[in-house]
């Protein structure tokens, strides 16, 4: 069974112009980021790739922990994308996910170990991670604590 996602885009001019995209619940302005010589209006492909990878990872991890019966109190994530610029060629080099998992106070040491394993496994289970694997280095640096 296939799922189709449609994105519509409008662009106002040349390289340093701006545009808009709309896909389902996503509607935003787009341009090249200031760091890359653009106007920095709205979001950009680099942030969107990082956002896709991070949200996919986070949702995958949450589902895995729920299925695993882990007593999760709180789950948050910080992700970092690194883009290299060499000879005016932009290359997305790596994405690192840093999940912060807080388990309920009654969680045991086995729960902590299970959460750490799932934090690693979620990376290879995420559809976006699988799509970019081999082109972008992916890593996970989880932190698990008890409330």
């Amino acid at each position: 069974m296939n799922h189709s996602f449609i994105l519509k885009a409008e662009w106002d001019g040349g390289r340093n112009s701006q545009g808009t995209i709309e896909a389902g619940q996503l509607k935003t302005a787009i341009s090249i980021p200031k760091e890359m010589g653009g106007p920095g209006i709205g979001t950009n492909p680099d942030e969107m790739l990082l956002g896709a990878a991070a949200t996919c990872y986070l949702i995958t991890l949450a589902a895995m922990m729920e299925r695993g019966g882990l007593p999760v109190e709180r789950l948050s994530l910080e992700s970092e994308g690194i883009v290299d610029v060499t000879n005016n060629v932009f290359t997305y080099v790596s994405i690192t996910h840093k999940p912060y998992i807080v388990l309920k106070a009654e969680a045991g040491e086995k729960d902590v170990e299970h959460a750490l394993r799932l934090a690693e496994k979620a990376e290879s289970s995420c559809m976006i991670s699988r799509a970019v694997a081999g082109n972008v280095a992916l890593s996970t640096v989880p932190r698990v604590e008890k409330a």
Side-chain angles (χ1 to χ4, degrees):
M1 171 188 288
N2 292 331
H3 299 279
S4 177
F5 297 92
I6 306 294
L7 181 137
K8 295 183 180 183
E10 297 287 333
W11 192 255
D12 292 343
R15 179 193 185 277
N16 286 326
S17 296
Q18 64 183 11
T20 59
I21 58 169
E22 187 171 345
Q25 298 297 313
L26 173 65
K27 184 175 182 175
T28 189
I30 57 170
S31 75
I32 295 172
K34 284 186 179 186
E35 300 85 359
M36 295 178 177
I41 297 167
T43 191
N44 58 71
D46 309 285
E47 291 172 343
M48 290 180 59
L49 179 60
L50 180 60
T55 55
C56 183
Y57 173 82
L58 186 62
I59 291 167
T60 300
L61 177 57
M64 292 173 82
M65 290 192 306
E66 180 180 280
R67 282 193 301 268
L70 286 173
V72 178
E73 174 92 11
R74 191 170 61 253
L75 172 61
S76 61
L77 177 67
E78 179 181 303
S79 295
E80 179 182 18
I82 302 293
V83 175
D84 176 62
V85 183
T86 302
N87 297 326
N88 240 7
V89 175
F90 297 85
T91 304
Y92 220 109
V93 176
S94 66
I95 295 174
T96 301
H97 297 303
K98 301 171 187 172
Y100 177 49
I101 303 163
V102 178
L103 300 176
K104 294 181 180 174
E106 67 267 15
E109 202 50 44
K110 286 189 179 209
D111 291 324
V112 171
E113 291 169 11
H114 190 198
L116 286 168
R117 281 194 311 275
L118 290 180
E120 293 293 336
K121 186 176 181 183
E123 184 69 76
S124 61
S125 300
C126 164
M127 173 183 66
I128 302 298
S129 296
R130 290 193 316 267
V132 301
N135 293 308
V136 177
L138 302 168
S139 61
T140 305
V141 182
R143 193 170 104 210
V144 179
E145 296 178 3
K146 292 194 285 185

